[in-house]
């Protein structure tokens, strides 16, 4: 399962793709990959060119 996480860091907001998985011991874990940021002027999501959008 994956979903977008948008934390606020200072004045900027970044978009991360959080992916849930289980490690070798069966414990739930998460990985976060940066996939873009929020444009401070327009408020629109700006994705990196190599990352597809997640609905």
């Amino acid at each position: 399962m994956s979903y977008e996480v948008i934390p606020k860091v200072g004045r900027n907001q970044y978009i991360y793709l959080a992916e849930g998985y289980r490690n070798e011991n069966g414990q739930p874990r998460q990985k976060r990959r940066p996939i873009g940021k929020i444009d401070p002027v327009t408020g629109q999501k700006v994705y990196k060119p190599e990352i597809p959008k997640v609905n």
Side-chain angles (χ1 to χ4, degrees), residues 2-55:
S2 63
Y3 54 94
E4 289 182 353
V5 177
I6 305 175
K8 187 169 185 175
V9 180
R11 296 183 328 178
N12 300 319
Q13 288 182 320
Y14 297 97
I15 304 170
Y16 291 94
L17 181 66
E19 299 172 339
Y21 69 97
R22 292 193 177 267
N23 66 3
E24 63 274 356
N25 297 332
Q27 297 172 332
R29 296 285 182 240
Q30 285 187 0
K31 282 186 182 177
R32 285 187 177 185
R33 292 186 306 144
I35 60 172
K37 64 180 183 175
I38 303 291
D39 186 8
V41 176
T42 63
Q44 299 292 321
K45 294 179 180 179
V46 179
Y47 291 95
K48 292 182 179 179
E50 66 273 6
I51 305 296
K53 292 183 182 178
V54 174
N55 292 336

